[in-house]
Amino acid sequence: MALPTRVLHGQSEYDPAREFDTMLSRWFGNRQSEGGSLAPYGVDVREDQDHLYVEAELPGFKKDEVEITLENQTLSIMAERRSEKNDEKKGDLLLHERRYSRFHRSFTLPSTVSDQKVNAKLADGVLTITLDKREETKPRKIQVS
């Protein structure tokens, strides 16, 4: 299977590479891609006999800011949020940390996944994508005669 594997060190979900990326982004002022940076949100991928599930953290994103594509067994998730203009809100801006952010992840799906039926739902800051497996690849019971 071509999906990335997440390795837990002990029982902790601490990811030093992710922490280092976050530190560098803060140190250099998030100067990547039009004044924003790639959002460091996590993604989990799991499967059962009938489905493959992709769950991505997308806090603060609205569903019209999220785009999902499936082409040639590659699932891509993109989300983009622009900063709000100060004139849309009353008062002087004293601190401005909520600005442009972008999320983009792509996964090569195994050949067992069907591209015919895909369901996506965004609720409570978590995007859940459910992909059906192909019928011919699902385990089946054989009757003994």
Side-chain angles (χ1 to χ4, degrees):
M1 180 181 277
L3 293 171
T5 304
R6 185 174 192 175
V7 178
L8 297 178
H9 301 282
Q11 294 298 323
S12 171
E13 295 236 352
Y14 175 73
D15 184 356
R18 189 178 196 181
E19 292 293 321
F20 186 70
D21 266 358
T22 302
M23 182 202 61
L24 285 179
S25 292
R26 288 183 182 172
W27 181 263
F28 290 108
N30 291 329
R31 291 189 190 128
Q32 304 165 353
S33 67
E34 299 179 41
S37 67
L38 282 177
Y41 306 129
V43 176
D44 292 336
V45 179
R46 56 189 175 84
E47 71 176 324
D48 61 22
Q49 286 185 347
D50 299 323
H51 303 94
L52 186 76
Y53 305 94
V54 178
E55 296 171 333
E57 295 175 343
L58 294 176
F61 285 96
K62 298 173 189 149
K63 56 184 175 178
D64 61 330
E65 298 171 328
V66 178
E67 180 180 319
I68 303 165
T69 58
L70 179 57
E71 183 178 4
N72 296 328
Q73 293 300 111
T74 300
L75 175 71
S76 294
I77 305 167
M78 292 156 284
E80 185 174 34
R81 179 179 51 233
R82 300 269 178 200
S83 63
E84 296 178 3
K85 302 276 189 240
N86 192 32
D87 37 323
E88 295 173 7
K89 295 188 177 187
K90 295 180 181 179
D92 294 330
L93 189 61
L94 302 176
L95 177 65
H96 184 56
E97 293 180 344
R98 297 175 31 207
R99 52 189 142 192
Y100 174 87
S101 65
R102 185 171 63 98
F103 174 87
H104 183 222
R105 293 287 299 270
S106 291
F107 302 93
T108 301
L109 300 175
S111 59
T112 58
V113 173
S114 170
D115 60 356
Q116 299 303 311
K117 186 175 178 204
V118 180
N119 184 25
K121 180 176 79 168
L122 181 63
D124 299 326
V126 177
L127 174 68
T128 303
I129 302 170
T130 304
L131 301 119
D132 286 352
K133 290 187 177 179
R134 296 181 193 277
E135 285 298 322
E136 63 270 15
T137 64
K138 292 180 187 177
R140 58 189 174 125
K141 291 191 176 193
I142 311 291
Q143 277 283 347
V144 178
S145 55

